[in-house]
Every structure is written in structure tokens, then in C-alpha cells.
Amino acid sequence: MSMLTLGGGAFGGMDQQSVDTLITTAIDTGVSRVDTAPLYGDSEMRIGQYLRKNKGLDFDISTKVGIPANLILDSISTTPRRFNSHELSPRIINESVRSSLVKLGVESINTIYLHSVDSAHFTDENIAALLSLKKLGLVKHIGYAGDGFNLECALKFVEFDTFLMTLNCIDQMNMPYAK
């Protein structure tokens, strides 16, 4: 597997042909990972369409669940809906992952990240929901994607297999783990 990951954040606003070209170029240069999120518009759907046309690829996909910008995509449509920050629950986690699996057209997601959620959401119930998805084989790894204090808290959880953070020395230089 490559150490580089193709970011799919812009894919949701692109046409399918452009996404196909970007993914093909990434694969041709040795990139074998793509990162997306339900919040990235049609990104998961675009990646899924590519994978359906190119069956048999050894391509790792990471996606996310969470409440960045206090938005989450409805699990049935691509319409953003507002909700309060107390709504993240095992049900939301399960619905989001299952919706991502359908959009991506895959049986398993390599890594599911809790995306920029407040550390108050690192509850026993939410962590258990993530571990249950892993045990079922719907996800291979669970992680946390975010920065600052919430990342610092996430680093204390042995349940997280991986972390995704901003690679910016200025953003990270004052964090205790960076010293």
C-alpha cells in the first residue's frame, strides 16, 4: 500500500469523467488509497461509480462519520440536514457507515474515522458501535480525524487504530504530543 492518500474532498463537485481521470492518474503513479466523507457531496458516489467500472482494484478507502460544521448527510439522500451536536449516536454511526458502503459499492471500508467530533462523543456506546462494525467486517480499522484538544483526547483511546490530522507544523506545534 502507498503511503500517500488521494483526498476525495473535491470529488463531490466534479463530474464523473474528471473523478475517473484523477483516480486513474493516482493509481498509475502508485497511490492506492482514497479518503472521502459523506459531507463531501457526491464524493462517495463518484468513487463508487469508478470502482464499479474497474472491478478488482486493490484500493483502500477511508471515509468518515461525525458532525463537522454541524452537518451530516441524510443516510437516504444527499441533502444536508442540520442537527444538534448531541445527536451523534450508535444509530447515526451505523446508518452513516451502511450508507457509505452502498454509495461506495463495497462490502468493507478500510478505515472509518470519527470526523472532527468533540471528545464528548467518545462515549462507551459510540466506541462500541465502531468496534461492532469492525467485528462484523464492515470496517477494518477505526480512527479519529481532527486536530487540537479533541485529537489529544483521541490519542488516549486504544480502540483507535489510526489518526488523521492536519499536517501543518504551525497548527500542531503547541500540542503536547508534538514536543
Side-chain angles (χ1 to χ4, degrees):
M1 276 304 127
S2 66
M3 292 181 64
L4 296 176
T5 300
L6 176 62
F11 290 1
M14 298 170 69
D15 63 80
Q16 189 63 47
Q17 183 177 355
S18 297
V19 171
D20 291 355
T21 300
L22 281 171
I23 295 174
T24 299
T25 301
I27 290 169
D28 290 348
T29 59
V31 175
S32 56
R33 299 174 185 193
V34 65
D35 176 69
T36 187
L39 192 65
Y40 301 165
D42 290 336
S43 178
E44 290 180 328
M45 183 186 72
R46 297 270 183 241
I47 293 166
Q49 287 178 4
Y50 180 87
L51 293 174
R52 286 178 191 83
K53 289 187 278 188
N54 297 278
K55 294 198 180 291
L57 286 177
D58 187 19
F59 207 61
D60 279 350
I61 300 169
S62 62
T63 192
K64 302 173 186 83
V65 298
I67 49 176
N70 207 27
L71 286 174
I72 189 171
L73 292 180
D74 185 279
S75 62
I76 298 171
S77 72
T78 58
T79 306
R81 67 180 176 92
R82 295 244 171 233
F83 72 104
N84 76 44
S85 61
H86 302 295
E87 204 174 326
L88 187 65
S89 67
R91 181 184 61 79
I92 295 288
I93 291 169
N94 278 292
E95 286 179 5
S96 182
V97 168
R98 291 174 191 280
S99 175
S100 293
L101 288 166
V102 170
K103 290 175 188 173
L104 291 163
V106 296
E107 293 180 13
S108 180
I109 294 166
N110 189 61
T111 306
I112 191 73
Y113 289 101
L114 279 183
H115 191 194
S116 300
V117 300
D118 188 275
S119 60
H121 295 292
F122 300 162
T123 64
D124 291 342
E125 294 82 12
N126 287 341
I127 298 295
L130 292 166
L131 291 172
S132 175
L133 291 165
K134 188 175 176 180
K135 185 174 181 179
L136 291 170
L138 299 177
V139 300
K140 295 176 185 166
H141 306 281
I142 60 173
Y144 178 77
D147 294 301
F149 176 76
N150 297 315
L151 173 61
E152 188 176 348
C153 292
L155 288 167
K156 297 174 185 170
F157 281 80
V158 297
E159 293 86 354
F160 291 126
D161 301 310
T162 186
F163 300 92
L164 182 63
M165 67 192 87
T166 304
L167 184 58
N168 180 321
C169 296
I170 294 170
D171 289 344
Q172 300 297 322
M173 66 188 220
N174 291 319
M175 298 305 299
Y177 54 81
K179 295 179 181 173

